[in-house]
Amino acid sequence: MELIDAAAAAERLGIKQATLYAYVSRGVLRRRHGEDGRRSLFDAAEVEELARKGRPRRPPGASELVIESRITRLGADRPYYRGRDAIELAREESFETVAEWLWGGLPPLPGEPGQPDAWASDPDGVAAARRALPGGLSPLENLQVITTVLGATDTLRFHLDPASVAATGARLISGLVDALPQAAPATLAGGTVAERLWSRLCPAEPEPALLKALETALVLLADHELAASTLAARVAASAKADPYAVVLTGLGVLSGPLHGGASYGAERLLNEIQDPAQASRLIADRLRRGERIPGYGHTVYKHGDARGEALLALVEAAAPGHPRVEAALAVRKETVRRRLPAANIDFALAALTTVAGMIPAAGEAIFAVARTAGWLAHAMEEYGRRTLLRPRAVYTGP
């Protein structure tokens, strides 16, 4: 049983702590006591169930736009994809299956009678995209070029019905991966999305446990409600921009250091630590300069990101004693000692890419390929509506 304190329970329900204790007195919630006998604790699952029954959430903040969606719900420490725990999905399902779940069960699974491989890329589009890559770009910058070229060569991109968008999504994600420059021998070409992506980001052959960690990362990053890039993608889709334009919009926002680029900062931090004893000084230096610790803290999960914990545990189990694992554990220990915010999935993603020996900024590409599935799920919702997302500004000028 996972127990959370009164502040976390009240925040999840969108109520004041006084209202929380009123729930206790009315028998709506059961309170438990901490070891000291004074601290009030609550069953996280019971709080989640109460939230699902329609108890009031906190009202939107001044900078928040509320959009109804049936895709992802954010729990106390993790997302739920169409009602299913994302961490459990990552344990049990492939990235392709989860993407199809986000898209409402489409496209047809590979191997069905009369159906081609739904997750095959378009050879002509991939060849054109490879020719267009100028060289010297980061993986995320390569993906932006690839998306543009794949869109320009896909004559089916303007079909916006759900089945067509889902089929385009599978073809697009496969094309994004297959068009990336090869980092490892091409023996994995034609495999799963995770296998093919590994060969584009890592020069070494994959160890099964680390390949599973990569697949887990893809699932856990596939969607996260209305993150900044997803909101931008939805705005594009509400204007009926085609799926490639939607993904290109998302990629532009994702590149920011406060979003998908956060793992690159964490990656550089881990690579700086040659000895775990250095972690304390490096963190102190960053704090002294007024910098954030990359991969720590989250705007939604104030008490810890379970996605990051699950992914980091897989990486640690796959490579016990690895220098980058030891560096990650040293950073986590130091942040706990300083009572800094908890690690998030960006930090765990950086641990994966550095332990695996992937090319620089590989985490950004993993994030982008994964989130493409979510962007297109949200685009499908917008394509089914007739209204344009058009926020209004509060004018404060002369």
Side-chain angles (χ1 to χ4, degrees), residues 31-52:
R31 175 173 58 178
R32 295 161 176 81
H33 295 285
E35 294 179 359
D36 59 5
R38 297 191 302 271
R39 190 177 179 216
S40 295
L41 298 174
F42 298 85
D43 181 354
E46 189 178 351
V47 172
E48 279 299 311
E49 181 63 24
L50 185 59
R52 281 196 296 269

Side-chain angles (χ1 to χ4, degrees), residues 269-289:
L269 171 62
L270 291 178
N271 282 327
E272 283 184 54
I273 301 173
Q274 301 303 313
D275 184 328
Q278 293 178 295
S280 178
R281 178 181 58 80
L282 289 173
I283 290 176
D285 288 345
R286 278 172 165 74
L287 294 175
R288 190 178 301 116
R289 294 194 297 266

